[in-house]
């Protein structure tokens, strides 16, 4: 295994590809981890007015959460397509 790793790293450009692959994995996993939090976030229309502050939500989802959900869904689809 060590000889195979040495042979791979001896090739020109392999280390650059390894760094890019690692950074890409870190970015994708970080975004995927926090995507659920962003989509579920308390983006309610009347949050600024503090209406229904006791129970935490009003039931009216703002446009911001819809855009976050759409972007997140597209991000996940792109990841699935690129892995095929």
């Amino acid at each position: 295994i060590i000889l195979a790793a040495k042979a791979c790293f001896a090739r020109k450009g392999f280390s650059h590809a390894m760094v890019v692959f690692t950074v890409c994995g870190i970015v994708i996993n970080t975004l995927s981890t926090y995507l659920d939090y962003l989509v579920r976030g308390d983006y309610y229309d009347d949050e600024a007015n503090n209406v229904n502050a006791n129970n935490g939500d009003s039931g009216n989802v703002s446009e911001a959460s819809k855009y976050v959900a759409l972007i997140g869904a597209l991000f996940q689809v792109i990841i699935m397509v690129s892995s095929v």
Side-chain angles (χ1 to χ4, degrees), residues 1-82:
I1 295 175
I2 294 173
L3 291 175
K6 283 184 180 180
C8 287
F9 280 103
R11 292 183 179 182
K12 185 177 181 177
F14 181 80
S15 60
H16 294 104
M18 178 70 99
V19 169
V20 169
F21 178 77
T22 304
V23 170
C24 181
I26 291 169
V27 169
I28 287 174
N29 286 328
T30 303
L31 288 176
S32 294
T33 299
Y34 292 106
L35 192 60
D36 183 51
Y37 170 76
L38 291 172
V39 171
R40 286 185 302 116
D42 294 329
Y43 301 109
Y44 294 103
D45 285 334
D46 53 4
E47 189 175 49
N49 299 332
N50 291 326
V51 177
N52 293 329
N54 294 334
N55 65 6
D57 69 342
S58 64
N60 297 326
V61 180
S62 72
E63 290 295 317
S65 67
K66 293 176 186 176
Y67 290 129
V68 170
L70 180 64
I71 292 169
L74 289 174
F75 176 75
Q76 293 296 330
V77 168
I78 291 169
I79 291 172
M80 288 189 317
V81 169
S82 67

